[in-house]
Amino acid sequence: MRADIVQYWRLGKFRVYQHAYGGLLLLTVLGVDRLQYWAVCLTSVVSFQFMISGSCALDDLTGYRNGSDRRNYLGADGEFARDVATKPLLSGGLTVPQVQRWAALSMTLSVAFAGLGLLLADGPHRWAAAAVYLLCLALMPQYSWGLRASFHPAGGETVLVTTHVLCVLWPALAVGSISALMWSEAVLFAVGFLLISLCSNENDQVGDREVGRKTIAAMFGTPGTSVALVLAVAAQAAAVGFALAAGVSAWFALAAAPGLALAIAQVWAAVARRRWMYARSLGMKACNLMFAGLAIFNLAS
């Protein structure tokens, strides 16, 4: 039983706790003094994590069936060069039917927690919030299942950014409205994950290209990934500029600066040094630093 729990934990990418930052940032913007805000934001965090879990299960299923995961994890000697423990289908930890059932259960739990959050909210735009949530729910699995967005030019990257923005916006609508600060922080949160994904996809470009995935890395190689990384970190800087132009305190730029600086270091490690997995790890740390800075700013405002 314990072994199965570990396998499902790995399959669902629950170790990537940074996915919780969107909803937690929203909570700090709204204020921590109302029980309703806690209830809606925390249920949105859990809902989004289960949505991620179900989508990752479907993505692993696709990668297992088309052989891209095996190709990306094999070394030149035909032995696994990367830790397959993070891929339970490859390691034999889970079977295809188990992964399919987990994907269905995860999506069901996502709907259940989102529905609970909407019931607990008393904002005037709950129906709009429900529509935004359903759009997010519909888009997320399309990365490699259904419409298979990652098999269309830059479709995977588009789905990733869009869903990570929407996961912040729907609970904001559920309790009130969306401010310029919320938009800015949602974009910073989403693009932070894009920076991580771009580095991962660069590392997987050979296997992805062989099976027809059209990530930026698979289509344009390292030069394309490098340009995308620079544009992504520029988009984060633009999100900060947007907030300032909308009247948010200049302290916001100072709060975002450490996370933005580490994101720039991530891009440097990737573009100049070609250390893709190191850059990916820097991206995770940049998300942590960005969250800490913005949360402190929000709570102090």
Side-chain angles (χ1 to χ4, degrees):
M1 179 65 177
R2 182 179 179 277
D4 282 346
I5 292 173
V6 171
Q7 296 298 335
Y8 286 119
W9 179 270
R10 290 169 174 166
L11 177 69
K13 307 296 187 288
F14 287 102
R15 69 186 184 281
V16 186
Y17 57 84
Q18 288 85 353
H19 285 125
Y21 288 166
L24 295 178
L25 277 176
L26 177 62
L27 175 61
T28 61
V29 172
L30 294 170
V32 296
D33 57 337
R34 287 189 61 186
L35 184 59
Q36 179 198 168
Y37 293 161
W38 279 91
V40 174
C41 291
L42 292 183
T43 53
S44 77
V45 165
V46 177
S47 173
F48 188 58
Q49 183 56 66
F50 276 118
M51 192 189 300
I52 290 282
S53 174
S55 299
C56 286
L58 292 171
D59 186 53
D60 277 15
L61 194 59
T62 299
Y64 178 74
R65 284 173 166 168
N66 66 24
S68 61
D69 279 352
R70 182 175 181 82
R71 174 65 182 82
N72 289 330
Y73 276 69
L74 282 177
D77 58 358
E79 299 294 327
F80 285 117
R82 293 162 63 183
D83 183 12
V84 295
T86 59
K87 295 285 185 179
L89 280 170
L90 273 186
S91 67
L94 293 174
T95 64
V96 168
Q98 285 177 310
V99 172
Q100 290 172 325
R101 287 194 293 269
W102 179 256
L105 175 61
S106 293
M107 291 303 184
T108 301
L109 289 171
S110 174
V111 172
F113 277 98
L116 177 60
L118 289 166
L119 286 173
L120 294 171
D122 64 2
H125 308 300
R126 282 181 295 173
W127 286 109
V132 173
Y133 166 75
L134 290 174
L135 177 60
C136 187
L137 180 70
L139 281 176
M140 181 70 79
Q142 308 306 318
Y143 182 85
S144 58
W145 179 81
L147 296 177
R148 305 205 316 162
S150 62
F151 290 83
H152 300 278
E157 292 86 351
T158 301
V159 166
L160 185 150
V161 172
T162 303
T163 52
H164 280 70
V165 169
L166 294 180
C167 85
V168 179
L169 299 187
W170 79 257
L173 276 174
V175 296
S177 59
I178 303 170
S179 66
L181 179 61
M182 291 174 187
W183 271 109
S184 179
E185 294 194 2
V187 170
L188 287 169
F189 167 67
V191 176
F193 271 95
L194 176 62
L195 286 163
I196 295 166
S197 177
L198 287 167
C199 293
S200 295
N201 289 344
E202 174 66 24
N203 207 49
D204 292 342
Q205 66 167 281
V206 175
D208 286 346
R209 190 179 295 119
E210 286 179 357
V211 300
R213 283 193 192 267
K214 290 183 171 59
T215 63
I216 289 172
M219 289 191 298
F220 303 112
T222 299
T225 302
S226 299
V227 171
L229 284 165
V230 172
L231 291 176
V233 81
Q236 285 196 313
V240 174
F242 167 77
L244 297 180
V248 175
S249 166
W251 287 103
F252 179 73
L254 186 63
L260 191 57
L262 193 52
I264 292 170
Q266 174 195 359
V267 173
W268 175 259
V271 174
R273 302 176 65 188
R274 299 293 192 260
R275 296 183 62 187
W276 300 104
M277 296 314 288
Y278 172 66
R280 183 185 184 280
S281 69
L282 282 182
M284 303 296 276
K285 293 179 175 67
C287 282
N288 295 340
L289 203 53
M290 184 68 77
F291 169 74
L294 298 183
I296 292 169
F297 169 82
N298 294 339
L299 291 171
S301 297

